[in-house]
Amino acid sequence: MGRPIGRRGLLRGASLSALALGVPGLLGACGTESQVQNADDCQGPDRSAEEKELVFSNWPEYIDQKGKAMPSLAQFEQATGITVTYNTDVNDNNEFFAKVKDQLGSCEPVGRDIITLTDWMAARMVSLGWLQKLDKANLPNVEANLVESLRSPSWDPERDYSVPWQSGVTGIAYNAKYTGEVGSFEELMTRQDLKGKISLLSEMGDTMLFMLLLEGADPEDFTEDEWQASLDRLEGYVGSGQIRRFTGNDYIRDLNAGNVVACEAWSGDVIAMQYDNPDIKWVVPEEGLSLWSDNLLVPNLAEHKTNAEKLMDHYYQPEVAATLAAWVNYICPVDGAREAMEKIDPSLVDNELIFPDEEFLANAYGFKQLDVKTRQQYEKDFAQVIGA
């Protein structure tokens, strides 16, 4: 029986909700500098000592489940006496931002103690002063077990505001029933036998990262000229008919059916697909990989910050982390979880998409941190090229 698609599956990949509303909807979701807060001034009491509870907002299908139960969360509740209200109301970064921006931008509570957002949106929250600084004294497991490759992102170099929940990579998937191996984005975008039979992702950061690599630019440090050249490159591929369409995770259906034979794909989706279809193959592109994380964050005026930190730390116990990773199928950010996986699901111990080694990640890139105005312009540029 196939496993659930997971965090980038059911709703995450339904394409950017703001793009579905058109460029004005996207820009309206981005916030303005007038909403910047000083976190030192936007504070409230921590009621954790007297209120053993917290509210956790996460993505759908992004925690271990057995029926309606969530074993790792139940274990936390039993060990700490803290009751967790677990919500799956983060369906898209921009959509969730739009839900909370007016309150956080006005220094008002959002009724959540933990929210889970992807790197680029977490960086935006940090820059707006909307997050509480974490007390590392409450995070001994995080301090000890966070993998080295995730310790110092450019937008939060000391991990003062964020704790990775899961990570993933973006690369290439192909269906071996319909085509031979596709080893690079150069092949994906130029091979004539693939014309009209490939798809790219509708997320700007993912797709443009690879266009920048094809242009010879560094996705983490590129110039405006390199951005424009990469956009022109993408526009050329669109005009040539090479790309069937831009998708969220609905590439899964097309790839299984052979409507597309190769595509840009998220690692966790590919693992889930392979349970049912052994013809689905994963490729680390010659140009490199896109590496991203989803992060646990405590918003301003959250009333149970200490309780939230205890939950973060709970998931950095290797056995708990392995239990979670065995279900969600994304890169585990916790040292020691691979060894713990021996007892939980030995078939996953050597899966490089869950436990990648240094060699696997040596050519992995993040996307350059952008200020608000630049990100708005880049999203608009990208939306126009892909016809969103």
Side-chain angles (χ1 to χ4, degrees):
M1 179 178 176
R3 299 196 181 187
I5 294 298
R7 168 256 189 274
R8 292 216 171 196
L10 299 180
L11 294 170
R12 171 72 173 86
S15 83
L16 291 172
S17 61
L19 285 181
L21 298 174
V23 174
L26 172 66
L27 301 186
C30 289
T32 66
E33 294 307 323
S34 65
Q35 295 176 306
V36 172
Q37 293 293 327
N38 183 330
D40 292 333
D41 296 332
C42 187
Q43 292 187 349
D46 185 354
R47 305 184 189 279
S48 294
E50 62 268 24
E51 297 179 3
K52 296 297 184 180
E53 61 188 65
L54 68 87
V55 179
F56 182 2
S57 284
N58 204 354
W59 300 78
E61 304 292 344
Y62 211 20
I63 196 169
D64 52 302
Q65 291 184 256
K66 290 184 177 179
K68 294 184 178 180
M70 293 170 277
S72 64
L73 202 57
Q75 181 185 353
F76 170 76
E77 292 180 317
Q78 183 175 3
T80 63
I82 297 169
T83 299
V84 180
T85 300
Y86 185 80
N87 298 320
T88 55
D89 57 347
V90 185
N91 297 324
D92 176 281
N93 284 288
N94 279 314
E95 179 188 88
F96 189 79
F97 187 97
K99 288 181 184 178
V100 299
K101 69 182 181 69
D102 290 338
Q103 295 99 309
L104 290 175
S106 302
C107 191
E108 297 174 0
V110 293
R112 300 168 174 90
D113 300 298
I114 300 178
I115 57 179
T116 312
L117 297 173
T118 309
D119 288 330
W120 62 272
M121 185 57 82
R124 178 77 182 114
M125 292 275 194
V126 171
S127 69
L128 287 165
W130 290 359
L131 303 176
Q132 296 190 51
K133 190 173 183 178
L134 302 174
D135 184 349
K136 296 185 179 181
N138 294 330
L139 300 169
N141 290 324
V142 176
E143 289 294 285
N145 297 329
L146 175 59
V147 296
E148 188 63 35
S149 61
L150 295 176
R151 284 186 176 267
S152 299
S154 61
W155 53 273
D156 189 13
E158 302 299 323
R159 286 291 182 188
D160 288 328
Y161 299 95
S162 61
V163 170
W165 176 247
Q166 298 288 285
S167 292
V169 288
T170 308
I172 293 172
Y174 70 95
N175 190 327
K177 182 177 180 180
Y178 299 104
T179 188
E181 180 175 347
V182 182
S184 68
F185 264 80
E186 181 70 29
E187 284 187 55
L188 190 69
M189 306 314 303
T190 59
R191 269 177 40 183
Q192 285 300 301
D193 63 307
L194 300 178
K195 187 172 183 178
K197 300 177 183 179
I198 72 154
S199 63
L200 298 180
L201 295 170
S202 57
E203 288 221 1
M204 183 272 286
D206 275 320
T207 291
M208 288 308 299
L209 181 144
F210 288 105
M211 295 302 108
L212 286 157
L213 287 173
L214 287 173
E215 200 60 33
D218 181 349
E220 296 176 354
D221 185 22
F222 55 87
T223 66
E224 184 65 24
D225 285 345
E226 289 171 329
W227 168 258
Q228 290 299 328
S230 300
L231 263 182
D232 291 344
R233 175 183 287 271
L234 179 60
E235 189 169 24
Y237 295 142
V238 171
S240 73
Q242 185 75 8
I243 305 163
R244 180 182 177 92
R245 64 192 189 103
F246 292 84
T247 74
N249 94 298
D250 41 341
Y251 67 80
I252 291 171
R253 293 188 296 272
D254 281 341
L255 188 61
N256 271 320
N259 297 325
V260 300
V261 299
C263 61
E264 183 181 13
W266 289 308
S267 56
D269 284 349
V270 175
I271 296 175
M273 292 172 72
Q274 288 173 334
Y275 282 104
D276 293 320
N277 187 349
D279 288 324
I280 303 302
K281 308 297 182 183
W282 168 261
V283 173
V284 176
E286 292 176 9
E287 295 85 0
L289 291 163
S290 168
L291 177 66
W292 50 267
S293 293
D294 291 322
N295 305 274
L296 303 176
L297 315 165
V298 179
N300 287 347
L301 300 181
E303 295 184 343
H304 308 101
K305 176 174 177 285
T306 300
N307 292 344
E309 290 164 341
K310 289 180 179 179
L311 184 140
M312 294 175 183
D313 207 54
H314 169 73
Y315 279 96
Y316 271 71
Q317 298 174 80
E319 297 80 7
V320 178
T323 299
L324 177 63
W327 204 90
V328 299
N329 294 150
Y330 278 99
I331 293 176
C332 181
V334 180
D335 272 335
R338 185 174 186 272
E339 292 73 17
M341 189 66 83
E342 291 277 4
K343 296 180 179 179
I344 294 168
D345 189 344
S347 70
L348 298 178
V349 169
D350 295 322
N351 192 318
E352 64 184 4
L353 297 182
I354 298 176
F355 300 112
D357 57 22
E358 290 184 8
E359 182 180 356
F360 182 88
L361 294 177
N363 234 8
Y365 299 87
F367 195 84
K368 181 179 179 180
Q369 185 176 353
L370 304 172
D371 59 51
V372 181
K373 184 177 180 181
T374 303
R375 175 163 285 279
Q376 288 177 339
Q377 185 59 53
Y378 283 7
E379 292 278 13
K380 181 179 179 180
D381 293 343
F382 179 68
Q384 289 175 338
V385 168
I386 71 173

